[in-house]
Amino acid sequence: MAEEKKLFKVKIDNISVEVEPGTTILNAARQIGGDIVPPAMCYYSKLQGSGGKCRTCLVKVTKGSEADPRPMPKLVASCRTTVMDGMEVANITSPEVQDARKGVVEFLLLNHPLDCPICDQAGECHLQDLGYEHGADGTRYEFKRRTFEQVDIGDNIKLHMTRCILCYRCVYTADQLTNNRVHGVLNRGEASEIGTYIQKALTSEFIGNVIDVCPVGALTDRTFRFKNRVWFLKPVDAHRNCDKCCGKTVLWMRGDEIFRVTARKDKYGEVEDFICDTCRFDTKEASAWTIEGPRKIDRHSVISQGHYVGTVKPKDTLVEVMDGRQPRLLMDIHSVSQVNRPEIDLSKIDGPAHSDDFNNAKR
Amino acid sequence: MQLLQNAGQKQTQTKEQVRRIINEYMGRKLLLDKAHIEGIRYYDTYRKNGGYEAAGKVFKTMSPDLVVEEVKKSGLRGRGGAGFPTGMKWSFLAKPEGVPRYLVCNADESEPGTFKDRYLMEFLPHLLIEGLLIASYALGSHSTYIYIRGEYAWIPDILEEAIAEAKQNGWLGKNIQGTGFDLEIYVQRGAGAYICGEETALIESLEGKRGNPRIKPPFPAVKGLWQCPTVVNNVETLAAVVPIINIGGEEYAKIGIGKSTGTKLISACGNIKKPGVYEIDMTISVEEFIYSDEYCGGIPKGKRLKACIPGGSSVPILPANLLLKTAKGETRMMTYESLNDGGFATGSMMGSGGFVVLDEDQCVVRNTYTLARFYHHESCGQCSPCREGTGWMKRVLHNIEYGKGKMSDIDLLWDIQRKIEGNTICPLGDAAAWPVAAAIRHFRDEFEWHVKNPNAAQQRNFGIAHYADPLPVAAAAV
């Protein structure tokens, strides 16, 4: 009983859920799941301190808490606002939130080059998903989109600054996963960019994870660059013994060829376990991996379409089919069936067999 | 003293009577009363003229909690712009065991049109240091920082000299005046970012990081500088602590109207005869402030008042008719409440006290474009609505100002500002949105004029308005 008392009751879009104190609204919504989960472009549950920047997860708090039922005056970033007991939140039920979110999506796409046709991230891009779900069908921006000079950050990772939405995820990744962060956000305002200031390659055992955490195509895998579209590839779970990381990955294959290796991502597009660069970039022989089975990519994705994942294989072992009954001798139905015409010799029919050969044939 | 007692019976007296009493009693100046004395910048002169007496009084007779109580009683409101009660802010400071607490003085005064803190620091550095001393004592801060705007290149030297003087005379350092209280004051120069005037961005910058505002909560009172409880106060707020201690919180609260207590520095600029920093008690009307010889001295060349930004560039602009009288027809006073009367639909804000007056020749579109350009330049780029929206507004306004605009652009601007306001991490988004919103709300016809007369708009010289039509707003006949 004592533990139950500690839980906070929260209502999100009129759905109640009980969560631990200190949970954010976004995570409470994720516990409910479904359509009411606010989209998040910058929040990453595995990265400390992330979130609050993209403003796509804005929600309206219609009741602050049981103790203080006043609504919050502004929309709040659900990824960084912790729940209070008795809090009521409106996400998809609030037109104000939908309108604000549409505005945020428009802002995010304002300077985005929309070069999806040549972008390696296309098909697994969170900004694409966000644009389809919440965006308008056109832009009202009539000016030149901003561009940046190309910066070389090494042989494995390609930086396209024009596509960046400045979510800071890669900065947190480098801070929290590697020993030395050499990239960061330079300049301010619209001119902000991810860079190393003095051109420098990102070299660190785990730096490849910035590719996985990047919600857009700003950071892509250079060893996979322009090799294939992600939806033509077949993702399979695989593992190998790795002394640096968990070794649990997703291989993106076509036939027996491994095109790229990524970490496993959950349904919110977040990495389950970070993997090392050796697994990601240097281990592309199928022999090095133990393949577990096909991977379902959940996030509103075209990747899973056309792939036979989740199909139910027939249970053909006799024991299961008979469900505990003893098998009886099966009759040879062919010998008694009227359909059966053993007298017609297929080898003597000209060309392919036709129903006429059976039906019109003399008995 | 007789007058002092009279001032206590404010409830039964008219505003004019109260004002007269205060004028006679105080000469209406609390902060700048000694500013004219030659050499007041230096310790000796400052001390001779009653300096550090408040600090001495605090050390001798008051406990830290008593100082906070006194400030609470005074009703002092933050002078940095938001107007949050200072005493309340101080009492919110978390006081966990074994964790240091910090006081930070926000001297990153970068709001266009505001220059009151510069004046205080330049001419009365010891007043600020005394205020910091009292506040640090009240809050239990042993390291206090002055975060000063980088563009004020010469002022840190003045402050550091004053700090050295105070140290020599035993007002800073270890065991101040034998009380056992230690305090060091450090001056930290900013690097020229407007956003570092936002308290959490200031703290980040002070820690040596990129000046991005933090996401609140946690508030600085719980986790501020180096994750310790921190209070960030404006220069003027901290300086005002000195007269509060000198005359007592209750006496201080008697100045002004309602919740706008005490005196406020207003930095007046624009089309007025006498630009400068004025100390007002918050009992005078806006009209008096603009036209009285004691203050701005009216508008030069006999021109008419068109509009005014009453509290620094980020607050909504008000046309003359709404500036002098509220929508209800009452006289608008120079107080927090009165300036905010009618909300943003027909009112504005006291803000940081940057009083910018526009005469009949000024073009509101040009003015709005200039402000939008400023906010575009100063956006930190952390959150998307502000990063992208400020640049978009700037470009649309540029088009309108230079005669390339469309009618739909005005609605577009309105929509952009609506989607920025309230959706950002820090108030810079609001600050960028409000001037645009107010300009369209009150001066839509000027935007339309620019769209309808593209050639005339293109040929206009630096935003001097020569509209064929009479002024959109009936200027007050004063």
Side-chain angles (χ1 to χ4, degrees):
Chain A
M1 270 317 273
E3 275 195 7
E4 275 176 32
K5 266 186 185 170
K6 268 192 231 159
L7 294 180
F8 281 177
K9 243 190 189 156
V10 193
K11 225 180 208 183
I12 301 169
D13 286 335
N14 296 322
I15 304 171
S16 290
V17 66
E18 286 192 352
V19 295
E20 304 241 331
T23 315
T24 57
I25 297 174
L26 183 77
N27 281 330
R30 283 184 179 182
Q31 285 187 22
I32 299 172
D35 289 342
I36 62 144
V37 182
M41 299 296 286
C42 65
Y43 172 74
Y44 211 75
S45 58
K46 312 288 184 300
L47 298 173
Q48 280 249 313
S50 64
K53 294 173 173 47
C54 69
R55 317 306 284 179
T56 53
C57 68
L58 289 173
V59 292
K60 183 156 186 63
V61 176
T62 49
K63 182 182 165 192
S65 69
E66 208 60 68
D68 182 10
R70 286 176 301 171
M72 290 194 186
K74 289 178 180 178
L75 303 184
V76 297
S78 59
C79 62
R80 289 295 291 262
T81 310
T82 50
V83 295
M84 303 296 281
D85 197 18
M87 187 184 259
E88 282 176 22
V89 179
N91 176 20
I92 52 173
T93 49
S94 162
E96 189 189 346
V97 170
Q98 296 298 304
D99 190 42
R101 189 165 293 153
K102 203 172 170 184
V104 172
V105 176
E106 186 173 22
F107 286 135
L108 285 175
L109 289 170
L110 213 57
N111 278 302
H112 194 78
L114 292 176
D115 56 350
C116 306
I118 56 150
C119 177
D120 276 334
Q121 188 85 1
E124 54 176 15
C125 174
H126 291 199
L127 191 58
Q128 273 186 331
D129 296 340
L130 190 75
Y132 283 128
E133 281 162 25
H134 301 284
D137 46 9
T139 181
R140 296 179 289 174
Y141 192 65
E142 295 169 341
F143 306 93
K144 225 178 141 187
R145 284 159 198 256
R146 66 162 174 258
T147 51
F148 295 90
E149 274 185 32
Q150 287 273 345
V151 181
D152 185 9
I153 57 166
D155 295 336
N156 291 333
I157 303 169
K158 179 73 196 168
L159 171 66
H160 277 284
M161 196 49 223
T162 46
R163 296 171 187 160
C164 181
I165 59 161
L166 287 162
C167 67
Y168 284 61
R169 277 182 185 177
C170 60
V171 181
Y172 290 113
T173 308
D175 260 343
Q176 291 167 26
L177 258 57
T178 68
N179 296 328
N180 62 328
R181 171 163 72 87
V182 293
H183 75 287
V185 178
L186 313 175
N187 303 330
R188 72 177 179 215
E190 245 186 359
S192 305
E193 61 174 306
I194 298 288
T196 50
Y197 195 63
I198 298 164
Q199 195 155 334
K200 196 174 175 185
L202 307 189
T203 48
S204 178
E205 268 309 318
F206 282 84
I207 198 69
N209 287 300
V210 296
I211 297 165
D212 277 347
V213 301
C214 185
V216 292
L219 291 162
T220 46
D221 189 339
R222 218 163 166 175
T223 61
F224 173 62
R225 200 161 185 240
F226 302 144
K227 292 265 168 63
N228 219 315
R229 307 293 339 202
V230 287
W231 58 87
F232 290 142
L233 299 176
K234 196 169 183 178
V236 292
D237 280 345
H239 66 266
R240 71 184 267 264
N241 281 332
C242 178
D243 49 357
K244 292 173 202 144
C245 67
C246 62
K248 287 176 186 161
T249 61
V250 177
L251 307 180
W252 297 76
M253 304 178 71
R254 196 165 187 183
D256 281 342
E257 196 183 346
I258 298 173
F259 276 80
R260 68 165 182 168
V261 183
T262 65
R264 296 180 186 177
K265 294 183 183 178
D266 62 16
K267 62 177 169 179
Y268 299 111
E270 290 181 6
V271 168
E272 287 167 2
D273 276 309
F274 291 109
I275 60 167
C276 68
D277 283 10
T278 318
C279 289
R280 184 187 302 273
F281 297 123
D282 303 333
T283 321
K284 297 216 171 168
E285 311 83 38
S287 57
W289 296 95
T290 314
I291 290 169
E292 292 164 18
R295 171 130 193 121
K296 172 111 176 95
I297 305 294
D298 215 12
R299 204 189 146 90
H300 353 266
S301 178
V302 293
I303 297 168
S304 295
Q305 290 176 11
H307 290 164
Y308 299 109
V309 288
T311 46
V312 181
K313 283 184 183 168
K315 298 172 183 173
D316 55 0
T317 48
L318 201 56
V319 183
E320 278 181 37
V321 172
M322 293 308 289
D323 195 22
R325 285 173 287 136
Q326 283 298 314
R328 277 183 288 170
L329 274 177
L330 294 171
M331 248 191 289
D332 183 6
I333 53 167
H334 289 177
S335 62
V336 291
S337 169
Q338 292 298 314
V339 184
N340 202 11
R341 303 291 296 272
E343 71 275 15
I344 297 170
D345 192 343
L346 290 178
S347 62
K348 288 181 181 163
I349 297 171
D350 285 340
H354 193 264
S355 61
D356 292 347
D357 296 325
F358 297 93
N359 294 338
N360 303 337
K362 275 186 187 167
R363 278 200 184 259
Chain B
M1 271 299 115
Q2 184 62 43
L3 289 164
L4 187 70
Q5 282 152 14
N6 287 350
Q9 302 158 358
K10 184 173 148 188
Q11 309 301 338
T12 57
Q13 290 164 327
T14 63
K15 282 175 196 166
E16 280 68 30
Q17 278 171 317
V18 176
R19 266 200 51 215
R20 186 178 52 77
I21 291 162
I22 292 166
N23 290 353
E24 286 168 17
Y25 170 49
M26 315 270 197
R28 75 167 60 189
K29 284 184 179 174
L30 291 174
L31 296 170
L32 302 183
D33 54 345
K34 296 172 202 133
H36 62 279
I37 300 170
E38 200 166 325
I40 194 75
R41 187 187 283 177
Y42 304 104
Y43 176 81
D44 294 336
T45 320
Y46 182 73
R47 185 84 175 106
K48 257 181 240 159
N49 288 285
Y52 288 101
E53 266 171 24
K57 182 178 165 192
V58 164
F59 286 137
K60 273 194 201 107
T61 61
M62 293 169 92
S63 72
D65 289 342
L66 211 62
V67 179
V68 176
E69 270 314 302
E70 206 63 36
V71 173
K72 259 190 188 171
K73 265 189 233 162
S74 76
L76 175 67
R77 292 174 69 168
R79 304 296 198 224
F84 191 80
T86 307
M88 216 178 326
K89 191 174 190 173
W90 288 8
S91 61
F92 286 157
L93 183 70
K95 292 181 178 168
E97 280 295 312
V99 178
R101 302 187 284 275
Y102 294 104
L103 171 68
V104 179
C105 170
N106 185 349
D108 192 87
E109 181 187 48
S110 320
E111 184 102 339
T114 310
F115 44 93
K116 63 187 174 63
D117 295 345
R118 185 190 74 193
Y119 188 87
L120 265 181
M121 290 186 288
E122 191 169 356
F123 295 103
L124 294 158
H126 281 287
L127 182 70
L128 173 62
I129 290 164
E130 193 181 353
L132 281 170
L133 187 57
I134 297 167
S136 302
Y137 175 74
L139 299 168
S141 159
H142 299 292
S143 311
T144 293
Y145 296 86
I146 303 175
Y147 185 94
I148 187 159
R149 182 183 181 201
E151 285 89 334
Y152 287 172
W154 68 104
I155 292 179
D157 300 337
I158 297 172
L159 288 173
E160 270 166 0
E161 198 186 336
I163 288 168
E165 276 183 330
K167 217 169 188 174
Q168 269 173 16
N169 291 284
W171 290 103
L172 289 176
K174 296 265 175 216
N175 193 15
I176 296 165
Q177 301 292 311
T179 54
F181 179 69
D182 306 335
L183 174 66
E184 288 291 340
I185 297 180
Y186 303 96
V187 180
Q188 175 64 45
R189 293 161 173 83
Y194 172 73
I195 190 65
C196 290
E198 201 275 340
E199 57 178 0
T200 52
L202 187 153
I203 288 169
E204 286 277 300
S205 175
L206 202 53
E207 288 179 4
K209 299 178 192 153
R210 181 185 162 83
N212 276 358
R214 290 179 186 169
I215 295 143
K216 293 187 238 182
F219 289 91
V222 181
K223 273 187 180 176
L225 190 59
W226 292 301
Q227 302 297 307
C228 298
T230 307
V231 165
V232 184
N233 275 140
N234 180 256
V235 172
E236 194 194 338
T237 317
L238 290 163
V241 174
V242 178
I244 288 173
I245 297 297
N246 269 332
I247 66 168
E250 277 172 20
E251 287 306 315
Y252 189 85
K254 283 169 193 162
I255 311 167
I257 304 170
K259 284 184 179 167
S260 306
T261 60
T263 60
K264 171 97 184 79
L265 296 186
I266 303 284
S267 48
C269 62
N271 302 115
I272 46 173
K273 279 188 187 148
K274 291 174 14 188
V277 179
Y278 296 101
E279 184 169 6
I280 58 159
D281 52 34
M282 287 187 266
T283 52
I284 65 168
S285 67
V286 176
E287 190 176 337
E288 182 184 345
F289 184 72
I290 296 176
Y291 290 103
S292 141
D293 278 340
E294 195 180 343
Y295 300 112
C296 301
I299 292 164
K301 296 174 194 161
K303 288 189 177 153
R304 287 174 299 166
L305 173 68
K306 176 176 184 181
C308 174
I309 305 170
S313 65
S314 61
V315 309
I317 190 170
L318 279 183
N321 53 353
L322 283 173
L323 179 70
L324 304 178
K325 291 256 192 296
T326 64
K328 290 178 217 151
E330 294 162 4
T331 310
R332 205 181 279 279
M333 311 294 284
M334 293 289 282
T335 65
Y336 287 94
E337 289 84 20
S338 183
L339 282 173
N340 198 10
D341 190 273
F344 281 175
T346 58
S348 184
M349 263 174 91
M350 175 64 110
S352 56
F355 199 82
V356 187
V357 179
L358 276 64
D359 73 15
E360 58 186 281
D361 280 349
Q362 304 310 313
C363 171
V364 170
V365 180
R366 181 76 184 195
N367 176 59
T368 314
Y369 166 60
T370 310
L371 295 180
R373 208 175 53 175
F374 173 78
Y375 287 109
H376 166 238
H377 187 252
E378 295 295 346
S379 166
C380 78
Q382 191 182 200
C383 59
S384 30
C386 175
R387 178 182 65 231
E388 310 289 352
T390 49
W392 193 4
M393 286 200 300
K394 182 197 94 169
R395 293 187 184 101
V396 174
L397 275 164
H398 181 274
N399 271 4
I400 296 175
E401 166 64 14
Y402 288 96
K404 293 176 219 149
K406 300 190 289 286
M407 272 305 171
S408 60
D409 282 349
I410 304 169
D411 294 325
L412 177 66
L413 266 180
W414 183 263
D415 201 45
I416 301 170
Q417 69 80 19
R418 198 171 56 84
K419 281 174 173 161
I420 297 174
E421 195 211 328
N423 292 344
T424 53
I425 294 176
C426 79
L428 194 136
D430 303 344
W434 289 341
V436 176
I440 298 175
R441 190 184 293 126
H442 299 304
F443 296 95
R444 197 186 172 98
D445 41 4
E446 281 191 29
F447 286 85
E448 285 171 1
W449 183 90
H450 278 76
V451 175
K452 282 179 199 152
N453 305 289
N455 291 334
Q458 269 170 14
Q459 284 159 10
R460 286 238 318 274
N461 194 8
F462 294 109
I464 302 298
H466 292 296
Y467 298 105
D469 302 330
L471 274 176
V473 179
V478 179

